Amino acid sequence: MDWSPVVISLKTATASIILTFFLGTAMAELVFRLKNKKLKMILDGIFTLPLVLPPTVAGFFLLYIFGIRRPFGRFLVEYFSVKIAFSWEATVLAAVLISFPLMYRAARGAFEQVNPDLLSAGRTLGMSEWNIFWKVQFPVARPGVVSGAVLAFARGLGEFGATAMIAGNISGKTRTLPLAVYAAVASGDTREAAGYVAVLIGISFLVVIMMNYVSMRAPGRDRCASTKAQGKD
């Protein structure tokens, strides 16, 4: 079995989750703090759209923007000698686009669960909004944010449709695990396809274990259990 798809997938998922984590968290905080409900609804719809669109449609938009025959793609090639389409960077771009909504919605949901009184207390003490975020809001919301990051990592690892559109299926360069499964089945090599499937199942199982661990470590869970026990007493 060719192990290059495993390496490419892990590299892609790792690079994409770094970008997705910071971008998704920042956008979740931006929407969370917005006071304008209409603007909040519009931005939320835009950020969530890749979650409901077929991945091939998302890939089409990426190809339309970054294709070398398109204005922006041609600009990158001519002035920076950077070709995005059908490169490893394209696999990262596709994974970021598809996994971003999961990170964004998980982070936003976690921020909305933070007790507003804690944030108000921080402002009363003269803390800056930056310090309130990092010292009060983020630590409380961390279990939900980390769960979103784990889900986003798994989604980036399993991305197929958008990757096929913008990055292609180039062996040793852009062929990720899902694309390797497809290529193996298309060529009639079911044994190789089964090997790649086994790897994906193993990684997915580890992701589920990690999510359960994060959920069990959440501070709110212990408080809830303690409160229920006191109520029974």
Side-chain angles (χ1 to χ4, degrees):
M1 186 174 73
D2 180 14
W3 287 94
S4 64
V6 180
V7 176
I8 292 171
S9 287
L10 290 175
K11 285 172 57 181
T12 298
T14 302
S16 67
I17 191 53
I18 292 173
L19 295 172
T20 304
F21 179 83
F22 289 103
L23 187 60
T25 303
M27 294 302 102
E29 175 66 5
L30 171 66
V31 173
F32 171 71
R33 290 187 178 272
L34 278 177
K35 303 300 181 185
N36 189 316
K37 292 185 178 180
K38 290 184 179 179
L39 181 58
K40 179 181 287 193
M41 184 173 58
I42 292 172
L43 288 178
D44 185 72
I46 293 173
F47 294 153
T48 308
L49 192 59
L51 186 65
V52 296
L53 280 177
T56 49
V57 175
F60 170 80
F61 280 113
L62 289 177
L63 190 60
Y64 191 85
I65 294 170
F66 293 99
I68 57 175
R69 295 184 180 179
R70 297 299 171 182
F72 187 66
R74 191 184 309 122
F75 170 78
L76 291 177
V77 173
E78 291 180 357
Y79 291 94
F80 299 99
S81 299
V82 174
K83 180 186 175 185
I84 299 295
F86 303 105
S87 66
W88 175 76
E89 289 76 12
T91 67
V92 176
L93 189 63
V96 168
L97 179 64
I98 298 301
S99 63
F100 170 82
L102 290 175
M103 184 68 239
Y104 159 74
R105 295 202 69 85
R108 184 185 167 190
F111 293 155
E112 290 175 345
Q113 294 300 314
V114 176
N115 189 338
D117 292 339
L118 294 176
L119 307 183
S120 300
R123 296 187 183 99
T124 302
L125 294 172
M127 297 175 65
S128 66
E129 292 297 323
W130 178 260
N131 283 333
I132 289 174
F133 175 76
W134 286 112
K135 295 182 179 181
V136 180
Q137 184 178 347
F138 186 80
V140 175
R142 183 167 52 202
V145 175
V146 172
S147 294
V150 174
L151 276 175
F153 176 84
R155 186 64 187 87
L157 186 71
E159 166 48 34
F160 175 81
T163 304
M165 291 290 289
I166 184 66
N169 190 5
I170 307 172
S171 179
K173 186 177 180 181
T174 66
R175 179 172 291 174
T176 57
L177 275 170
L179 290 169
V181 172
Y182 176 81
V185 171
S187 64
D189 192 346
T190 55
R191 179 175 295 181
E192 186 174 72
Y196 291 133
V197 168
V199 173
L200 277 170
I201 291 175
I203 296 174
S204 300
F205 181 74
L206 289 176
V207 168
V208 173
I209 294 297
M210 192 179 301
M211 282 191 59
N212 289 337
Y213 176 77
V214 171
S215 176
M216 291 174 64
R217 295 279 295 179
R221 185 186 181 91
D222 295 333
R223 286 197 297 267
C224 255
S226 175
T227 303
K228 288 180 180 178
Q230 290 175 4
K232 289 180 180 179
D233 292 340

